[in-house]
Amino acid sequence: MLRMSIGHTLLGLLESGPRHGYDLKRAFDEKFGHDRPLHYGQVYSTMSRLLKNGLVEVDGIEPGGGPERKRYAITDAGITDVERWLATPEKPEPYLQSLLYSKVVLALLTQRAAADILDTQRSEHLRGMRILTDRKRQGDFADQLICDHALFHLEADLRWLELTAARLDKLAEAVTA
């Protein structure tokens, strides 16, 4: 069973009917790739793996202006794999060792201004939140939900930044002892 979310997403897109790689890329980018569109090479390498694993089959080959175009269809095994993937909850990411935490601790250990790192990061988070809020106002319903997800994570990060700034002296004592 594949663990790649891109593979599962492409499989899910094939459930509505057979498609060419170009059509899969376009559908993926339209629905999921606003910030990170797929590269054609990624689509075709993923489809090759799905084909090798029996999750898709070639439904037809058509001549084109360039190379022949393969039309892919999902197999019964592919449908089962998508169902299993959709039913499996994602593991929450606890961020127990975040890069930001590491920077703060290293700043404290090297007698640098950890508060400045927290302030700079707070400004960057607020800037990102403004961009996401503007995008949310202008986006369709799906884009609004995506933005909400990101905004909630940034809000949690901001709470952590504030808490850490308030406890910076205690943290300095703990890590330099």
Side-chain angles (χ1 to χ4, degrees):
M1 180 172 76
L2 291 175
R3 300 260 181 236
M4 282 184 21
S5 62
I6 291 172
H8 288 107
T9 304
L10 293 176
L11 283 172
L13 290 171
L14 283 173
E15 282 200 52
S16 65
R19 297 181 189 216
H20 298 96
Y22 174 82
D23 296 330
L24 284 167
K25 179 201 175 343
R26 190 178 50 191
F28 182 96
D29 290 351
E30 181 183 302
K31 299 289 183 195
F32 310 105
H34 293 278
D35 295 321
R36 290 194 344 210
L38 283 179
H39 296 285
Y40 284 104
Q42 192 174 12
V43 172
Y44 292 110
S45 65
T46 302
M47 295 311 296
S48 177
R49 280 192 300 276
L50 295 172
L51 186 62
K52 180 179 156 194
N53 291 327
L55 302 176
V56 298
E57 61 190 8
V58 176
D59 184 59
I61 298 176
E62 300 170 5
E68 293 179 329
R69 295 174 22 143
K70 292 180 185 176
R71 189 175 55 242
Y72 298 96
I74 192 169
T75 63
D76 289 340
I79 292 170
T80 300
D81 200 51
V82 171
E83 287 173 352
R84 189 177 311 128
W85 179 67
L86 289 172
T88 303
E90 293 298 316
K91 182 179 178 185
E93 297 180 30
Y95 302 107
L96 291 178
Q97 194 60 283
S98 77
L99 185 58
L100 184 54
Y101 173 79
S102 297
K103 284 183 172 187
V104 170
V105 170
L106 283 173
L108 292 170
L109 289 172
T110 59
Q111 271 84 64
R112 288 185 172 91
D116 290 349
I117 291 170
L118 293 170
D119 288 342
T120 300
Q121 193 62 49
R122 184 182 307 105
S123 295
E124 186 62 19
H125 271 61
L126 291 170
R127 186 184 73 74
M129 290 176 81
R130 283 190 296 275
I131 291 168
L132 284 167
T133 300
D134 287 343
R135 178 177 162 181
K136 180 179 166 181
R137 280 191 204 114
Q138 298 169 15
D140 60 14
F141 185 69
D143 207 36
Q144 291 170 13
L145 286 174
I146 290 168
C147 289
D148 280 339
H149 184 264
L151 284 165
F152 292 150
H153 282 272
L154 289 173
E155 287 173 5
D157 287 350
L158 279 176
R159 287 193 309 269
W160 182 85
L161 288 166
E162 296 299 326
L163 180 67
T164 303
R167 296 178 173 176
L168 208 48
D169 291 339
K170 282 186 175 182
L171 180 59
E173 289 174 21
V175 299
T176 59

